[in-house]
Amino acid sequence: MNAESDERIEAAEKASPESVPGGTTKAEKVERELGSRAPGFIKASRPLHLSWQVGVFVVGLGVVVAGVLMLVLPGPGWLVIFGGMAIWATEFVWAQLVLRWTKRKVTEAAQRALDPKVRRRNIILTTVGLVIAAVLVGIYVWKFGLALPWTVGE
């Protein structure tokens, strides 16, 4: 279940021991970026590490399923789904890559949203939408008066 590649480990061992911010070497940073974050004593035993991975998968799956349920029920569905992905990312490379891709896309979208042209367009579209909604409400009130479409109190 562990998706660590021999090539990545060899590359990390061959990396120069130059220090990167935070006081760790580049090789240590590569090791921390991808792969299992289980404690060393768990990684040392294959059966224990496999049990650890199964436990992390089950907990992450429970959180993701709860998030999916919250998409249709009240609750912060997407936030919980990404929380489950973060749990999986502590152990699985594929989840780390998905989270890295998601963070990159969110950052790019935030940068695009800060562009003055995009902001101006969004303001114009919002204004047009509000005007259309106000016109529709006005037509409804003109045609039916202030009577609600359902009976209150009966």
Side-chain angles (χ1 to χ4, degrees):
M1 288 180 91
N2 194 358
E4 292 182 16
S5 70
D6 293 333
E7 294 171 0
R8 184 179 57 79
I9 293 172
E10 290 172 8
E13 290 171 354
K14 292 179 184 177
S16 63
E18 298 173 18
S19 182
V20 294
T24 59
T25 64
K26 285 183 180 179
E28 291 170 344
K29 184 154 178 61
V30 168
E31 277 301 309
R32 243 187 298 130
E33 285 182 3
L34 295 175
S36 175
R37 289 181 176 81
F41 71 93
I42 291 177
K43 288 182 188 178
S45 170
R46 181 72 183 147
L48 188 57
H49 193 217
L50 187 60
S51 300
W52 178 270
Q53 287 180 326
V54 169
V56 167
F57 182 80
V58 169
V59 170
L61 182 65
V63 173
V64 168
V65 167
V68 169
L69 290 174
M70 287 183 199
L71 291 175
V72 294
L73 300 172
W78 285 110
L79 183 66
V80 174
I81 289 171
F82 288 125
M85 289 297 296
I87 291 171
W88 279 338
T90 63
E91 195 59 36
F92 303 107
V93 173
W94 62 266
Q96 293 168 1
L97 295 174
V98 167
L99 281 180
R100 184 182 295 168
W101 178 84
T102 304
K103 287 178 186 177
R104 188 175 63 246
K105 292 297 181 183
V106 167
T107 303
E108 291 171 3
Q111 291 300 319
R112 281 193 312 267
L114 294 176
D115 180 25
K117 291 180 182 177
V118 173
R119 290 184 70 199
R120 191 174 319 120
R121 184 199 65 203
N122 290 344
I123 290 170
I124 291 170
L125 288 174
T126 301
T127 304
V128 169
L130 289 174
V131 167
I132 290 171
V135 167
L136 292 174
V137 168
I139 291 172
Y140 176 83
V141 169
W142 174 69
K143 186 150 179 111
F144 299 106
L146 288 175
L148 298 173
W150 58 88
T151 55
V152 179
E154 288 185 14

